[in-house]
Structures are given as C-alpha cells and as structure tokens.
Amino acid sequence: MDGFAAVDFGFAREVLQRGIAALYLVAFVSTLNQFRPLLGEHGLLPAPALLDWVAQKPERRKLLHPTLFTRVRYTDRRLVALSGAGIAVAALLVAGVPQLGPPWVPMLAFLALWLGYMSVVSIGQTFYSFGWEMLLLEAGFLAAFLGSNDQPPPTVVIVLFWWLLFRLEFGAGMIKIRGGREWRDLTAMTFHHETQPMPGPLSRQAHLLPRWFHKLEVVGNHVAQLVVPFFLFAPILSLWIPDRDGWVPGPVEVVAWVGAVAAGIVIATQLWLVLTGNFAWLNGATIVLAFSAIGLPGIGAPASPPETSLPWTVSGMPLWWVVVTSAVGALFVVLSVPATRNLFARRQLMNASFNRWQLANAYGAFGTVTRRRVEIVVEGSDDEEGLQWREYEFRGKPGDVRRIPRQFAPYHLRLDWLMWFLPLGHSLDDWFSVFLVRLLEADAPTLRMLRVDPFHGERPRWVRAVSYRYRFATRAEHRVDGAVWVRTGRRVVLGPVGLR
C-alpha cells in the first residue's frame, strides 16, 4: 500500500469487481425467473398490493427501503425490463468493459446495479428477507468506488471491504457462540449437514463422517470466524512500516502474507460449505470478498510507484476521485457505529440494517442448528373422494427419498427455502395458503417453479400438506434400496382443501 493507493491490490480489485458483478447477474436472473410468480401482479404476495398500501399514507414510505417502484408504478413488464437491464450491466462488468474507461464509468454501472436490485429487495417481502440480499447490496455499493484499470485501487475502499468481511465472519461467529449450546459443546455439525435448509449432492456423505470430524469442523469454524478475521487488517500496517530491498522478505511482505493467509483460510472454509450445501450466493460472496485481503507485493502491482503531481493527481489517482473515495470512507465510519456496537451487544442482531440504504449492516447466520428435519410435502388428488394422492416435487427441497439433492448455489430457489422455514413457525404462512390455491388452479407460472407436477397441467380436485420427519439413510440402509432419505412420522397438517 502506498498512501491513498493500494498498489498491490490490482488483482484483488479484478476479482472483486468481476466477482460481485457475476453475483448480481445471478441475482437478476433469479429475479427474472421467480419474482413474478412469487411477488408479481398475480403472485403469492403481490408487490403491487404492498405498494398501494404504502402509498395510502406518506409516513408508510419509511417502512420501505428505497425503490424505484414508489416513483414508477410496478408492472410485471417493468420488472422484466429492470431485470434485463441488470443482467446486461452485470455482464458488461464481468467482461471488464466499464473498467476500461475513467473511474466514474464503473462507478455508475455498479450504482445502477445497487439501486436496481435494492428496488427489487425492498418490495420482495419474505421471499427477499435473506441476509445475503443486503450483503450483495453493500458489496455492490463499495465496488462502485474501486476505480478503473488505469489507476490503482483506493486504499480506503479496500479497507472497507476488509471491514465488510470482518462484520460478516466475526458477526456470524459471535452469533454462534452466543446462540445454541451445540456450538459450544461442538455438536453443531453433527446435525447441520442433515438439517440445513437445502442440502447438496455431498451433504449426506458429509453427514456420515465420524463425530470427531464434525467436532473438528466446529473448532475450525470458530477459529475461522472468531480469530482469523482480525488478521485481515494486517496489510494496513504497511502504511507505517518501512520496506527494505533484498531477497529476504521484509516487514511489508510479512504483513501482506498474513492478510493473504487469513483470506485463504476464509476461502477454504467457504469452499467446504459450497461442497456440502446450497446457500445461494452467501458462500460465493464471502469468497469474493476474501480476495480483497490478497495483495502480495509485486503481484498485480505497477512496475513503478504511482505518480503524484499535486494538486490534481495523488498516488496515481485524480484528486476528485481521492475526494470521492475518502468521503465514502468517512460515510462508513459514521454508518458503522451501530453495527460495531451490535457485534459486542449481549442481544446481538442478526442480518440487520441500521439505515434505509442497507449499508454497514450487521450479519450472521445459524445461531442455532435444528436437530430434526421436518419437511412439508404437498400432495394432490384428482378423485372426488380424495383416496389417491400424488406428491408435487420441488426443485431443491427434499421430497422423493431416492433422489440425490442437486447443486443449485449460487442460484437461489426462494420458494424451496421458504418451504424449509414453514414447519419451524407456529402456523403456516399466508403465502402458503395462496400457493395451495394456485396449485388447485393449475397456475402455469407457479407450476414452472416446481420440478414435478403430478397432474401434468390439469387441475387437482384436492390438495393437502403433510409433514414428515426426514433423516439421511445410513450406508446400510442405502445399500438395501438406494434410498438417500428415510422419512417417518407422517402427519396431515392442512387439508384436504379444494376450490368451490
């Protein structure tokens, strides 16, 4: 690092800009495919109804985060246009096209993604209430100030990315230590692989590993989230440590390697979670953010120190850009006060935003781990007496006991995730009742979100919801009939219901 310029972090900037843009591309594709049947004009929780309710009283606008749809009336066509524009801008950033221009070009591109996606998240209600939504928004805002290829990354913005990753990892670690006893007695991972919201193809194999390995997983998680994040800031010491020439690594190289190793540990733990689960783009975003701490001297750095020609050029950057990025740094110092307090609060908030723009947020996940997996299975019958029942199958959630879970992440199957939360509540959510009505109507957009419609587009006479206790089959059980899951404890929780 060289004052205002993070000269050794050119590679880190490439990964951050292109990686965050790729995640936005996935998010907008997910929105294009799922928003209309879930939240559109005829969705399960119609966004227009929410916007109409907000418009009735001016003070209600404060209940929503900023969205373009309070100024332009929502229609499904406009949602498609917004998603298409987001995909196009994100694709250009992944290709590195805006980065070839002056710094204000990628800045405007990322701010457009940030504002466009916030417009969606703000009206997404429960289907967009996941912590990685605000994580993507904050990362996209910061990426807007990384600059373009003809100048070094601003030091202040690179440090803000470390601060974001610190809040994400350390916040998650503190949530766990303060949360369920299973994180303190090292038994959490004994259950996690089996009971996580959406298992992946290797989740069963991970679950069947010995107990000592699961305890080692928990210990590794605590180290990666409670200890390692502090070392992400090590490279900042190079601003005050004099470098020295020669083949022996000096203090500057040492602190750079400390930050890189810390980032590598974070990346390694996240890759294990990618292999064993489906957490949308949460793990992918964490991996991308971790690259912000990889800035090894000589790798991705210019051959000569950045030019300073006062007053218009400072450390190879235009003066106006130094002022803008410094202002962003000052803004985050102010906005980060509530998040910092929250990290050390006795009642720590998880995935909370303290301002309308969803910046400097609090993060965390899995403060407790469920020990039993209960699945809601939706069935339909096309006979008048309701004697023969057939199951609807979802794309990601467990259903057919012989079906190996698929890998979907970083793509986000919102309906499947909400189905996991359903049996954890005290009552079935309102959207689920509407979902059952859509099945009775054989609504085509709703059916397209499912893997199998047992009635092939025809209307069933009845539908009902049945709960089962699911667990992974042991190796012996799997050898008998090829089952991946074993389900027991069948109980009808709703229905049968039909249309009048």
Side-chain angles (χ1 to χ4, degrees):
M1 287 184 164
D2 182 17
F4 289 101
V7 293
D8 297 319
F9 290 82
F11 173 71
R13 175 173 62 188
E14 286 287 330
V15 176
L16 288 168
Q17 288 179 324
R18 295 174 190 250
I20 292 170
L23 296 175
Y24 267 98
L25 193 152
V26 172
F28 276 112
V29 169
S30 171
T31 296
L32 180 64
N33 293 338
Q34 301 177 63
F35 192 95
R36 286 169 290 170
L38 294 176
L39 296 146
E41 294 172 282
H42 303 287
L44 306 184
L45 292 175
L50 171 66
L51 290 165
D52 288 342
W53 178 81
V54 169
Q56 291 174 4
K57 294 183 178 180
E59 59 269 20
R60 290 178 179 172
R61 286 203 173 196
K62 296 180 181 179
L63 301 176
L64 281 185
H65 292 289
T67 174
L68 296 172
F69 294 114
T70 55
R71 299 181 179 276
V72 178
R73 183 166 182 80
Y74 174 91
T75 66
D76 285 348
R77 286 187 177 183
R78 287 172 179 162
L79 186 279
V80 170
L82 177 61
S83 300
I87 291 170
V89 173
L92 287 173
L93 285 163
V94 171
V97 175
Q99 294 92 307
L100 297 175
W104 59 265
V105 178
M107 180 188 74
L108 292 180
F110 273 110
L111 290 179
L113 293 179
W114 170 66
L115 181 58
Y117 195 61
M118 183 161 51
S119 295
V120 173
V121 173
S122 298
I123 59 173
Q125 303 169 77
T126 189
F127 290 104
Y128 279 76
S129 60
F130 301 91
W132 48 76
E133 312 288 6
M134 65 173 67
L135 175 62
L136 184 58
L137 289 172
E138 184 171 353
F141 180 85
L142 290 178
F145 302 97
L146 281 169
S148 52
N149 294 348
D150 63 351
Q151 59 191 244
T155 296
V156 64
V157 179
I158 293 295
V159 173
L160 287 176
F161 271 107
W162 302 344
W163 172 231
L164 171 56
L165 182 59
F166 180 88
R167 280 180 282 122
L168 177 64
E169 287 292 278
F170 188 71
M174 292 299 290
I175 280 284
K176 293 178 176 66
I177 286 295
R178 292 170 170 147
R181 179 182 175 184
E182 61 273 12
W183 287 109
R184 296 186 294 276
D185 64 16
L186 308 184
T187 61
M189 300 305 288
T190 306
F191 310 101
H192 166 78
H193 297 296
E194 181 177 76
T195 63
Q196 63 182 304
M198 195 180 302
L202 298 179
S203 298
R204 177 174 167 271
Q205 285 74 11
H207 174 70
L208 295 176
L209 290 170
R211 286 197 169 223
W212 65 262
F213 184 86
H214 292 314
K215 290 188 176 183
L216 191 62
E217 283 183 288
V218 179
V219 173
N221 179 89
H222 290 332
V223 172
Q225 293 191 324
L226 293 173
V227 179
V228 170
F230 288 94
F231 293 95
L232 296 169
F233 297 95
I236 197 69
L237 297 176
S238 65
L239 291 175
W240 300 281
I241 296 176
D243 198 4
R244 69 184 184 189
D245 297 327
W247 63 272
V248 178
V252 171
E253 288 80 5
V254 170
V255 296
W257 274 104
V258 169
V261 170
I265 294 173
V266 172
I267 291 171
T269 57
Q270 293 300 312
L271 286 174
W272 175 244
L273 295 175
V274 169
L275 286 173
T276 59
N278 275 295
F279 293 96
W281 54 78
L282 174 60
N283 306 126
T286 307
I287 291 170
V288 170
L289 294 176
F291 273 91
S292 66
I294 299 179
L296 301 180
I299 300 178
S304 58
E307 177 188 359
T308 294
S309 180
L310 297 175
W312 307 116
T313 304
V314 180
S315 298
M317 296 183 290
L319 177 62
W320 70 268
W321 187 242
V322 173
V323 172
V324 168
T325 53
S326 299
V328 171
L331 173 67
F332 266 79
V333 168
V334 176
L335 294 180
S336 294
V337 171
T340 304
R341 288 175 178 168
N342 182 68
L343 285 174
F344 303 100
R346 179 173 297 180
R347 295 187 177 181
Q348 180 186 355
L349 299 178
M350 183 174 68
N351 298 325
S353 178
F354 303 100
N355 56 77
R356 299 190 68 232
W357 301 97
Q358 303 197 63
L359 302 174
N361 308 306
Y363 299 101
F366 291 99
T368 58
V369 174
T370 54
R371 299 187 175 220
R372 299 173 67 251
R373 183 179 198 96
V374 177
E375 288 287 345
I376 301 295
V377 174
V378 180
E379 299 177 337
S381 174
D382 57 2
D383 61 83
E384 189 66 31
E385 293 78 18
L387 300 177
Q388 301 293 325
W389 294 88
R390 287 176 276 178
E391 292 184 15
Y392 291 89
E393 289 188 31
F394 291 75
R395 295 184 183 275
K397 74 180 289 294
D400 181 358
V401 295
R402 289 181 174 80
R403 183 170 179 255
I404 298 174
R406 302 297 192 263
Q407 186 68 39
F408 290 96
Y411 190 79
H412 187 11
L413 293 174
R414 300 178 184 280
L415 178 62
D416 296 62
W417 267 80
L418 264 293
M419 288 295 296
W420 179 80
F421 284 105
L422 208 57
L424 303 180
H426 297 294
S427 61
L428 297 179
D429 295 346
D430 292 342
W431 66 264
F432 185 67
S433 300
V434 182
F435 173 67
L436 295 181
V437 172
R438 294 289 185 268
L439 296 181
L440 289 167
E441 296 170 342
D443 179 64
T446 301
L447 294 174
R448 280 196 291 270
M449 291 191 293
L450 304 178
R451 177 175 174 266
V452 174
D453 167 21
F455 303 102
H456 309 291
E458 298 297 323
R459 291 186 175 188
R461 178 67 182 85
W462 307 99
V463 294
R464 68 183 182 186
V466 182
S467 71
Y468 289 94
R469 158 83 162 91
Y470 272 67
R471 65 170 177 83
F472 276 130
T474 64
R475 292 184 178 90
E477 290 168 331
H478 180 71
R479 283 194 294 268
V480 172
D481 57 6
V484 176
W485 297 95
V486 174
R487 67 182 190 184
T488 56
R490 179 182 177 278
R491 183 170 68 91
V492 177
V493 295
L494 180 64
V497 294
L499 296 176
R500 291 182 179 179

